[in-house]
Amino acid sequence: MTDHSIKECQKSLDFVLGWFAKPIFIDGDYPESMKNNLSSLLPEFTESEKKSVKGTADFFALSFGPTLSFQLLDPHMKFHQLESPSLRQLLSWIDLEYNHPQIFIVENGWFVSGTTKRDDAKSMYYLKKFIMETLKAIRLDGVDVIGYTAWSLMDGFEWHRGYSIRRGLFYVDFLSQDKKLLPKSSALFYQKLIEKNGFPPLPENQPLEGTFPCDFAWGIVDNYIQVSQLTKPISSLTKPSHYVKTLLSDSLIRMPFLAMVIEMVDTTLSQFTDPSVYLWDVHRSKRLIKVDGVVAKKRKSYCVDFAAIRPQIALLQEMHVSHFHFSLDWAQILPLGNQSQVNRTVLRYYRCVASELVRANITPVVALWRPAAPHQGLPRPLARHGGWENPRTALAFAEYASLCFADLGQHVKFWITMNEPSTRNMTYSAGHNLLKAHALAWRAYDERFRRTQNGRIAIALQADWIEPACPSSPKDQEVAERVLEFDIGWLAEPIFGSGDYPRVMRDWLNQRNSFLLPYFTDEEKKLIRGSSDFLALSHYTTILVDWEKEDPVKYNDYLAVQEMTDITWLNSPGQVAVVPWGLRKVLNWLRSKYGDLPVYIISNGIDDDPHAAQDKLRMYYMQNYVNEALKAYILDGINLCGYFAYSFNDRTAPKFGLYRYAANQFVPKPSMKHYRKIIDNNGFPGPESLGRFCPEEFTLCNECSFFHARKSLLAFIAFLLFAFVISLSLIFYYSKKGRRSYK
């Protein structure tokens, strides 16, 4: 938006529209920019001609679309202006430039490839965009638009493009004898739009008032609680502000020889395993100098010694969440991929995080594995030997899971085996082994740990909704179902359904002579089927799919599907579409496939502009997606048990965080406070919901549960002990008194 660019843009529009519009609608003469650029090439009007031309139009008739404006011009007349399909901006410019004329859009539309037949999704969504922008120009900008004309009625000869594109609302079969006409998806859309006279509010866009059940899980996600060890000699430390947590005096400091660093915040121990005493040389070397012969008393270390845990939990408490979802680092815990080398220090840190969360009345939700760099989150030896392509990785995962259950299960009652495995970047053999790994871990927990730990365990699947681009097209509906089965059903059907891969998947691959999809043995089917205590899904957006090949770059030849988006949808800076009703649709699709399972939305969020002071997009996203979850619970009867927002902070998930990280501090964004309000209200209570509050529950620590369950017995024992002590005291007193009397 520089002055130069604005002037160049004005010149472009002057050469396209102003050439004829200014003489007619303003003063009977050409724009000044044309006069200055063309000089003698441009004829001049006489004064009488100016009067004759001026005002000779009852309305402004506008043609807008490809090949109607810039593409027919000499390129140098564009003055470097880029073409844009923004009709609303042009309508506003005409309104301001030509004294608010009545505008009649006499030609407007888009085009599709000449090979596209009746399902012209691209053209349909452009038509929707243009008409929606026209309505915005009328309602929001006050532009006097009196009519709209779609171009064109039927496919035809498109001048210099010939028959290479199609622009009609009706498909013309040029190869048929009678040139048969058939209505396209755009024609059906335009027909319904005319019947409704625009875009009346849709039921799915109406907010619902109501609340979730009292035991509903409100959570937040942080995928990157990963621990690494720092083995740096204390004498080399030169930044006291970073490491020093406890001062014994102005100059004597005890420091840990082994510090722990979490990616999110420093986890340096504040009480120390090194008993030595150090003197800080603040005037010369700026280093710690060990004091020989002086040793401090060692003590057992506790979880509160980790400086990072308490501040992190304080932020979670500030948010009022009841659950915190994070992932373990398999490669850190078992560097060699087996229990020959177990990093007990890292395990202890995770155990401390979990125990301190429980102490703060926050339920830890722990994922054993999620795909991440490097090596897809696998220990290097396993990654080097094929990763999930190797069947032995499944056995290694089961061994790793059992270790975590044994070490952390006292505090963790909510487990995720695999967190969002990406089916779009996974081979069939890898998916096969991953399913077996999940099932082995679930069976291990079910047989060895469930009775004593009483937890729950599941797999978390990414489940974005797939919508037919042309709702009236049976082919698009078929394509959408196929993509859903490949995206979600691939891993869901063996666990929650038949124990085998989806029939749609198998049939499609056989049809294309692709026999890469493995087969389960009967024993493996029994192992995998039912190996989940609930259904956990991550959902972020909705994707449109079309069977017509319009854009080769976005066409998936393997599944014969074209992905696209509705250009009227709201998009994030990362070009993620905001489509709240997609969440409700995928929840209903899952129930129709796998029955009435307990469901947790384990992750849901969107990126926003990190430089925006008010993250309004994320607030809008959260408000509407949670409301769609409420509709699924109240209106559809989905057994929805929890919702987790993504993500905790910007440091571990840039652009996604509810906390902004700056100057070594976490600052809550408006979206965090908005989420907290939703949590406090347990949804969106209406007037009839006022007064209906959930009783506050407190989770007792596991160490206290034994005593809590036996309060009456303990009170009775305490009473007996008290009575026994009193009795002994009385006996001792009177016996001593008797001896004195005897003397």
Side-chain angles (χ1 to χ4, degrees):
M1 292 296 289
T2 64
D3 290 341
H4 175 74
S5 295
I6 292 172
K7 288 177 181 177
E8 294 295 290
C9 180
Q10 177 74 25
K11 276 195 290 187
S12 298
L13 289 168
D14 282 343
F15 272 77
V16 176
L17 291 178
W19 184 356
F20 286 80
K22 186 171 177 290
I24 294 173
F25 289 94
I26 301 297
D27 57 5
D29 201 1
Y30 296 118
E32 290 301 318
S33 61
M34 291 189 73
K35 292 181 180 180
N36 295 334
N37 278 270
L38 299 176
S39 61
S40 61
L41 293 175
L42 190 66
E44 293 185 6
F45 287 112
T46 65
E47 290 302 320
S48 62
E49 285 174 337
K50 290 180 183 179
K51 292 179 182 179
S52 175
V53 171
K54 181 181 177 182
T56 55
D58 298 321
F59 56 90
F60 194 110
L62 174 66
S63 294
F64 182 78
T67 76
L68 294 176
S69 55
F70 287 128
Q71 293 191 17
L72 296 181
L73 288 177
D74 190 323
H76 75 268
M77 293 174 66
K78 295 182 184 181
F79 297 96
H80 308 293
Q81 182 182 352
L82 298 177
E83 299 172 48
S84 169
S86 180
L87 178 56
R88 179 184 175 187
Q89 288 181 315
L90 181 62
L91 290 171
S92 295
W93 184 85
I94 293 171
D95 179 66
L96 295 171
E97 189 78 2
Y98 302 118
N99 294 328
H100 315 294
Q102 288 187 324
I103 303 174
F104 200 121
I105 301 170
V106 294
E107 286 183 19
N108 178 234
W110 209 250
F111 64 93
V112 292
S113 168
T115 59
T116 299
K117 296 179 175 60
R118 296 181 61 187
D119 293 332
D120 58 338
K122 176 184 173 185
S123 183
M124 181 179 71
Y125 286 111
Y126 267 99
L127 184 65
K128 179 183 178 183
K129 174 184 172 70
F130 290 137
I131 299 174
M132 190 173 282
E133 287 195 334
T134 300
L135 182 61
K136 289 179 182 178
I138 296 169
R139 293 290 182 87
L140 304 179
D141 306 330
V143 181
D144 189 5
V145 184
I146 60 174
Y148 179 90
T149 311
W151 179 266
S152 63
L153 178 64
M154 65 186 76
D155 296 332
F157 182 77
E158 294 294 338
W159 301 104
H160 69 293
R161 293 194 176 191
Y163 296 105
S164 66
I165 65 171
R166 292 177 181 265
R167 300 187 59 174
L169 296 174
F170 282 78
Y171 172 75
V172 178
D173 185 356
F174 293 116
L175 300 179
S176 64
Q177 185 67 29
D178 56 353
K179 303 297 182 282
K180 191 174 182 179
L181 294 178
L182 296 170
K184 298 182 183 180
S185 296
S186 56
L188 300 176
F189 165 78
Y190 193 40
Q191 179 188 35
K192 291 180 181 179
L193 188 141
I194 292 171
E195 289 172 357
K196 297 175 181 178
N197 196 33
F199 304 92
L202 299 175
E204 59 263 32
N205 292 332
Q206 301 304 304
L208 177 71
E209 292 180 343
T211 56
F212 291 95
C214 287
D215 60 349
F216 194 74
W218 291 104
I220 188 72
V221 184
D222 193 344
N223 287 331
Y224 295 99
I225 293 193
Q226 297 177 353
V227 183
S228 60
Q229 294 183 47
L230 174 70
T231 54
K232 181 181 288 189
I234 295 175
S235 58
S236 68
L237 301 181
T238 58
K239 295 183 179 179
S241 61
H242 183 68
Y243 291 99
V244 177
K245 304 298 179 184
T246 302
L247 298 180
L248 300 181
S249 64
D250 290 339
S251 58
L252 293 180
I253 305 170
R254 288 184 299 167
M255 293 295 296
F257 186 77
L258 179 65
M260 295 187 66
V261 179
I262 186 172
E263 189 172 9
M264 202 177 72
V265 275
D266 178 30
T267 59
T268 307
L269 290 168
S270 57
Q271 302 294 336
F272 315 112
T273 56
D274 182 2
S276 302
V277 177
Y278 295 84
L279 179 68
W280 198 282
D281 186 1
V282 295
H283 299 294
R284 296 181 182 176
S285 65
K286 310 294 183 184
R287 296 181 180 275
L288 289 171
I289 302 173
K290 185 177 179 179
V291 180
D292 295 330
V294 181
V295 179
K297 184 179 179 181
K298 287 188 68 174
R299 71 153 176 83
K300 181 181 177 181
S301 59
Y302 300 97
C303 287
V304 292
D305 295 337
F306 289 104
I309 295 178
R310 285 296 176 86
Q312 181 181 11
I313 291 177
L315 296 177
L316 295 172
Q317 290 176 313
E318 181 184 23
M319 198 182 296
H320 297 179
V321 293
S322 61
H323 291 64
F324 180 51
H325 174 29
F326 63 93
S327 301
L328 305 181
D329 191 331
W330 184 1
Q332 285 276 7
I333 295 173
L334 297 178
L336 300 181
N338 56 51
Q339 294 196 34
S340 63
Q341 182 179 332
V342 180
N343 192 327
R344 296 290 175 183
T345 308
V346 172
L347 264 178
R348 178 172 174 265
Y349 177 76
Y350 284 132
R351 187 167 62 249
C352 285
V353 171
S355 64
E356 290 300 307
L357 284 168
V358 172
R359 191 183 298 275
N361 203 35
I362 298 172
T363 301
V365 181
V366 179
L368 294 169
W369 173 81
R370 68 179 299 274
H375 314 304
Q376 282 294 297
L378 299 171
R380 181 175 295 181
L382 295 180
R384 210 165 41 226
H385 289 86
W388 289 115
E389 300 286 338
N390 190 336
R392 293 186 178 182
T393 302
L395 300 175
F397 180 79
E399 183 183 2
Y400 156 66
S402 296
L403 171 67
C404 294
F405 297 150
D407 199 270
L408 307 176
Q410 181 184 4
H411 308 289
V412 179
K413 310 301 178 186
F414 205 137
W415 291 98
I416 300 294
T417 54
M418 316 287 180
N419 193 36
E420 296 184 35
S422 177
T423 53
R424 295 198 171 191
N425 298 311
M426 189 166 61
T427 65
Y428 297 122
S429 59
H432 200 71
N433 293 325
L434 190 144
L435 280 166
K436 289 192 286 187
H438 157 77
L440 287 170
W442 188 89
R443 298 294 173 188
Y445 189 84
D446 194 52
E447 294 167 6
R448 296 168 50 194
F449 301 97
R450 189 185 300 277
R451 187 172 59 184
T452 56
Q453 296 182 3
N454 195 30
R456 291 179 294 167
I457 182 170
I459 187 172
L461 305 175
Q462 182 162 340
D464 289 335
W465 178 241
I466 307 297
E467 179 77 4
C470 300
S472 60
S473 168
K475 286 191 175 182
D476 277 7
Q477 293 172 8
E478 179 186 337
V479 165
E481 186 66 23
R482 180 160 67 242
V483 176
L484 283 168
E485 291 290 10
F486 271 83
D487 279 2
I488 306 172
W490 179 357
L491 300 180
E493 181 66 25
I495 298 172
F496 302 102
S498 63
D500 200 356
Y501 294 115
R503 175 51 54 188
V504 169
M505 209 175 160
R506 184 83 67 186
D507 290 346
W508 175 257
L509 293 174
N510 289 343
Q511 175 186 329
R512 298 179 68 85
N513 297 320
S514 175
F515 305 103
L516 297 175
L517 191 62
Y519 286 86
F520 292 111
T521 64
D522 290 339
E523 185 179 345
E524 288 172 339
K525 288 181 181 179
K526 291 179 182 178
L527 173 75
I528 294 171
R529 187 177 184 184
S531 60
S532 192
D533 299 324
F534 54 90
L535 197 160
L537 64 98
S538 299
H539 177 88
Y540 303 102
T541 189
T542 291
I543 301 168
L544 295 176
V545 291
D546 183 22
W547 73 277
E548 294 274 20
K549 187 175 182 178
E550 181 64 33
D551 183 358
V553 176
K554 295 184 179 180
Y555 189 78
N556 184 333
D557 287 291
Y558 193 70
L559 295 180
V561 60
Q562 175 82 61
E563 288 192 0
M564 59 183 303
T565 186
D566 182 341
I567 56 176
T568 66
W569 285 347
L570 184 64
N571 278 273
S572 73
Q575 296 305 301
V576 176
V578 180
V579 194
W581 50 259
L583 174 59
R584 185 179 173 190
K585 284 198 173 187
V586 79
L587 289 172
N588 277 279
W589 184 83
L590 288 165
R591 184 178 62 174
S592 71
K593 296 283 294 183
Y594 310 120
D596 192 25
L597 296 167
V599 180
Y600 288 83
I601 301 167
I602 208 73
S603 184
N604 177 243
I606 198 164
D607 62 295
D608 203 354
D609 184 357
H611 302 294
Q614 305 290 327
D615 53 341
K616 293 182 180 179
L617 176 62
R618 186 175 294 104
M619 292 169 65
Y620 174 86
Y621 181 97
M622 192 178 298
Q623 173 83 11
N624 288 277
Y625 272 83
V626 175
N627 198 259
E628 289 298 314
L630 182 67
K631 291 177 189 176
Y633 169 69
I634 293 179
L635 302 180
D636 306 329
I638 302 293
N639 187 9
L640 190 60
C641 303
Y643 172 90
F644 289 68
Y646 183 81
S647 172
F648 186 28
N649 65 79
D650 276 340
R651 186 173 182 184
T652 56
K655 302 181 182 179
F656 283 87
L658 271 65
Y659 280 89
R660 181 178 290 105
Y661 183 77
N664 295 322
Q665 290 186 330
F666 292 96
V667 181
K669 298 180 183 179
S671 54
M672 188 285 286
K673 297 176 182 178
H674 187 69
Y675 185 41
R676 183 173 62 191
K677 181 180 178 182
I678 294 174
I679 294 173
D680 291 343
N681 291 329
N682 201 31
F684 307 93
E688 69 282 355
S689 303
L690 295 177
R692 292 174 52 198
F693 297 105
C694 295
E696 190 171 3
E697 298 180 2
F698 294 92
T699 303
L700 295 172
C701 63
N702 294 321
E703 295 84 352
C704 307
S705 59
F706 174 85
F707 303 101
H708 180 72
R710 297 165 176 80
K711 287 189 293 186
S712 301
L713 178 63
L714 291 173
F716 180 68
I717 293 173
F719 172 76
L720 290 179
L721 182 62
F722 177 75
F724 179 71
V725 171
I726 293 297
S727 299
L728 283 178
S729 300
L730 290 173
I731 292 170
F732 178 76
Y733 173 77
Y734 282 109
S735 63
K736 189 175 181 180
K737 184 177 180 181
R739 285 198 299 271
R740 284 200 302 268
S741 300
Y742 178 77
K743 289 179 181 179

